[in-house]
Amino acid sequence: MEPISGTADDMKITAIETLVCHARMRNWIFVKVLTDQPGLFGWGEATLEWHTRGVVGAIEDLSRLLIGEDPTCVEHLWQMMWRQHFWHGSGIVRSTAIAGIDLALWDIVGKRHGVPCHKLWGGPVRNNVRLYCHLGGGDMESFYETPVDNARRFAELAQQAVADGFTAFKSMAVPSTMPIEGLKPVKAAEACVAAMREAVGDGVDIMVDCHARPSPAMGMQFAKVLDPYGLYFLEEPCWPESIEGLAAINAAVTTPIATGERVTHLAAFRDLFAQRGCEICQLDITHCGGFSEARRVAALADAYRIALAPHNPQGPVSTAASIEFGFSQPSYIICESVHNDVPWRYDVVEEGFEIDNATRTVTPNTKPGLGITINEDEVRKHPFQQEMLQRVFYRDGSVGDW
């Protein structure tokens, strides 16, 4: 049978391009979908650390399905990308490639109708979106490499985040641990959180990212010792595959458990939610198949009364998409942001939304689509470089989680 087709005057996709921009810790992968309408194209992002070449290749493979198709048939094209060529698109490389293209397609639809993407989905549901930062604002050394035995430094970075206008910030106060360890790492994590809470008081929300380093048993210990400090959420206290462990931890503490950045498709979120593995869903729009799948995940989360706080440490298109999504979703509570990863970030992008730096809140984008403009000349000043290798080994030499 023939696929669906539009009217004779529908536009067609003529090419799908990728532009790779090296941004220290990661390579941003910008996706550009071009059409046969002069000047009408869409931007997406498909950044996936340490898998840049694989994602670029996957986008090239997927583009063969889409050349000549109507870019406004977004759902139809998403189904093609996810279901065709035998293998479903649930693997992280392909789901990220699909996401980059899907975002660009929605950008085109918004531009064609002259409205921001959130108005395509029913209009804004809030006046502003709240942002939170990483300690150090996205600076790799401050966030990822501050040792957990330096509680004083955590306190200093926390105070800096508040001075920068943020009312919420995230830290990596939990060290990498073997499947079972003694009190030392647990006490170190507690000291860091205690120092941060004392430094900023109860009026600022503190989040701790375990980075899925602990086993369920160690994650339970960290969760219980940190529970009295009133964290806004505790992120990835164990491997995302350990749904039973997440559910047990979530049931044992009052701190809301957050996870979902490494979950790539609707059925996997269904299993996570059904076991009540989290209270906060951190779907990553650039990894879970783009807006098309994210909207389905959000509807499912609503059924379980699970909040949305997207994972977003990537580049500027991912940020624009995460914020645009936030203005359309009632259960959305806060958006992850980075502002200090590379000094030339805003040479690359012009954004449609506005940030109030005094409160670190965002007002809605008023420009069509995602509302962003990418300066391709600036992107080309920062060509691909191999990402910094991150290797973690336990004290006995066995492999740990970064």
Side-chain angles (χ1 to χ4, degrees):
M1 295 181 65
E2 292 296 319
I4 66 168
S5 60
T7 60
D9 62 350
D10 280 332
M11 73 180 85
K12 305 297 181 187
I13 296 172
T14 58
I16 299 177
E17 301 174 351
T18 54
L19 288 84
V20 177
C21 182
H22 180 66
R24 288 203 73 208
M25 183 181 167
R26 49 182 59 86
N27 284 289
W28 296 335
I29 304 173
F30 297 133
V31 182
K32 187 178 184 182
V33 175
L34 295 95
T35 75
D36 59 2
Q37 304 298 306
L40 183 55
F41 53 83
W43 285 111
E45 183 173 336
T47 300
L48 183 64
E49 302 90 331
W50 305 292
H51 298 281
T52 300
R53 299 175 188 86
V55 172
V56 169
I59 291 170
E60 183 176 356
D61 288 339
L62 289 169
S63 70
R64 302 303 96 193
L65 290 168
L66 305 186
I67 302 299
E69 297 292 326
D70 181 349
T72 66
C73 295
V74 182
E75 182 61 33
H76 180 62
L77 300 185
W78 190 93
Q79 294 291 331
M80 286 173 60
M81 290 189 289
W82 208 86
R83 296 167 63 182
Q84 297 286 5
H85 292 169
F86 186 73
W87 303 102
H88 284 174
S90 56
I92 184 60
V93 170
R94 187 162 162 197
S95 65
T96 300
I98 291 171
I101 295 171
D102 182 82
L103 297 180
L105 295 175
W106 281 108
D107 190 31
I108 289 171
V109 175
K111 289 174 178 176
R112 188 175 199 192
H113 292 285
V115 296
C117 284
H118 68 266
K119 289 203 171 184
L120 299 171
W121 309 317
V125 297
R126 55 180 45 85
N127 295 322
N128 58 69
V129 165
R130 183 189 186 199
L131 302 178
Y132 74 85
C133 70
H134 298 175
L135 289 189
D139 171 72
M140 184 177 66
E141 288 77 13
S142 295
F143 187 63
Y144 292 101
E145 297 179 7
T146 299
V148 295
D149 58 0
N150 191 350
R152 179 178 177 181
R153 181 59 178 156
F154 275 83
E156 293 170 349
L157 291 168
Q159 289 173 325
Q160 183 60 56
V162 175
D164 288 341
F166 289 96
T167 59
F169 61 83
K170 185 161 75 181
S171 63
M172 286 188 65
V174 170
S176 181
T177 53
M178 296 180 73
I180 296 294
E181 291 203 20
L183 276 178
K184 184 178 178 180
V186 177
K187 289 294 186 181
E190 182 181 17
C192 290
V193 173
M196 290 188 291
R197 179 58 76 200
E198 183 177 357
V200 301
D202 292 345
V204 174
D205 290 322
I206 300 174
M207 291 152 271
V208 170
D209 184 0
C210 299
H211 233 225
R213 292 167 166 174
S215 66
M218 290 304 299
M220 181 70 80
Q221 291 194 51
F222 287 120
K224 285 189 171 182
V225 79
L226 300 181
D227 205 27
Y229 294 94
L231 297 178
Y232 191 64
F233 61 66
L234 181 68
E235 179 175 338
E236 288 197 309
C238 64
W239 284 7
E241 298 89 346
S242 302
I243 297 179
E244 296 86 353
L246 288 165
I249 295 167
N250 193 31
V253 295
T254 60
T255 302
I257 299 303
T259 192
E261 68 188 66
R262 307 185 213 200
V263 181
T264 61
H265 60 104
L266 184 64
F269 280 103
R270 173 202 62 200
D271 295 343
L272 174 66
F273 297 164
Q275 294 200 46
R276 205 68 195 191
C278 66
E279 299 301 323
I280 298 168
C281 172
Q282 293 181 293
L283 78 171
D284 189 312
I285 292 169
T286 67
H287 295 331
C288 76
F291 285 137
S292 295
E293 187 81 332
R295 293 175 69 221
R296 289 186 278 269
V297 173
L300 185 62
D302 274 345
Y304 287 93
R305 298 302 295 142
I306 289 173
L308 303 173
H311 177 253
N312 173 50
Q314 288 96 227
V317 182
S318 174
T319 297
S322 298
I323 291 171
E324 201 66 27
F325 193 64
F327 281 107
S328 72
Q329 298 300 323
S331 297
Y332 194 107
I333 55 171
I334 199 166
C335 183
E336 182 172 12
S337 67
V338 293
H339 60 282
N340 195 33
D341 49 355
V342 288
W344 40 263
R345 185 180 181 100
Y346 296 104
D347 296 335
V348 166
V349 63
E350 179 183 325
E351 298 165 333
F353 58 84
E354 293 187 5
I355 299 176
D356 181 344
N357 288 329
T359 62
R360 294 294 176 169
T361 56
V362 179
T363 52
N365 162 47
T366 58
K367 296 180 180 179
L370 293 176
I372 56 167
T373 301
I374 297 295
N375 187 324
E376 297 182 40
D377 290 336
E378 289 293 328
V379 169
R380 293 187 180 95
K381 293 179 181 178
H382 308 281
F384 170 83
Q385 294 183 38
Q386 176 61 55
E387 297 92 338
M388 296 181 184
L389 294 177
Q390 299 290 339
R391 294 172 175 165
V392 173
F393 300 97
Y394 299 136
R395 60 180 177 270
D396 64 358
S398 59
V399 173
D401 289 280
W402 174 64

